Amino acid sequence: MRINDVIHGKARQDVITIRPDATVRQLIGLLAEHNVGALIVSADGSSVDGIVSERDVVRRLHADDGVLEAPVSSIMTTQVRSCEGSAAVTELMQLMTEHRIRHVPVLTDGALTGIISIGDVVKSRIGELEFERDQLDNYLHQT
């Protein structure tokens, strides 16, 4: 299975981005509004300047409650691991495991086309396993 297959199976395929100069408070609002765990930081909506997750907010908020008015760029991760939509999901699972990340931007020819979470990968894998189980069950009951 390819990453694009997982992306196309998602209920929402649009990518919510936030500008680097937006405040962390605005970030929290977008995370809550869209019920997501991370946003791509992008000045133009198609490039990837960084990624910021709810974990980033919590870690900084614990140390500094004034961070809510700080720019997103002050808490974002700038060295972003990404993947191509044509790559295999197994490669993505390995990337997520090795680097302990939960959200990965999907790029096509260097432009942002999606975001995939560990939850998306798990849901897809469960679907594959259920399909295989059903196929085996059908095979066994046909004989």
Side-chain angles (χ1 to χ4, degrees), residues 6-136:
V6 177
I7 295 288
H8 293 306
K10 292 174 62 165
R12 287 188 65 166
Q13 296 173 16
D14 57 332
V15 184
I16 310 302
T17 63
I18 191 163
R19 294 183 49 81
D21 58 349
T23 66
V24 173
R25 185 177 305 278
Q26 291 170 313
L27 165 71
I28 292 170
L30 282 174
L31 290 170
E33 177 185 343
H34 296 285
N35 195 29
V36 294
L39 294 180
I40 303 300
V41 182
S42 177
D44 62 9
S46 66
S47 63
V48 177
D49 300 324
I51 190 167
V52 63
S53 71
E54 55 197 6
R55 281 185 169 191
D56 295 324
V57 174
V58 169
R59 287 182 180 129
R60 287 295 299 273
L61 192 56
H62 174 72
D64 175 17
D65 59 0
V67 75
L68 293 176
E69 302 311 320
V72 168
S73 60
S74 69
I75 68 167
M76 72 182 187
T77 299
T78 56
Q79 292 185 328
V80 181
R81 306 281 177 178
S82 63
C83 62
E84 288 283 330
S86 59
V89 172
T90 53
E91 293 175 34
L92 176 64
M93 292 189 306
Q94 185 175 4
L95 175 79
M96 289 176 143
T97 302
E98 285 178 9
H99 298 283
R100 299 178 47 103
I101 53 179
R102 295 175 177 220
H103 300 87
V104 177
V106 180
L107 306 177
T108 302
D109 298 325
L112 180 65
T113 57
I115 185 168
I116 191 162
S117 72
I118 191 71
D120 298 329
V121 173
V122 169
K123 182 179 178 183
S124 171
R125 186 68 182 124
I126 288 171
E128 284 181 326
L129 291 171
E130 287 173 345
F131 176 77
E132 290 173 12
R133 180 204 60 212
D134 292 345
Q135 293 298 309
L136 287 170

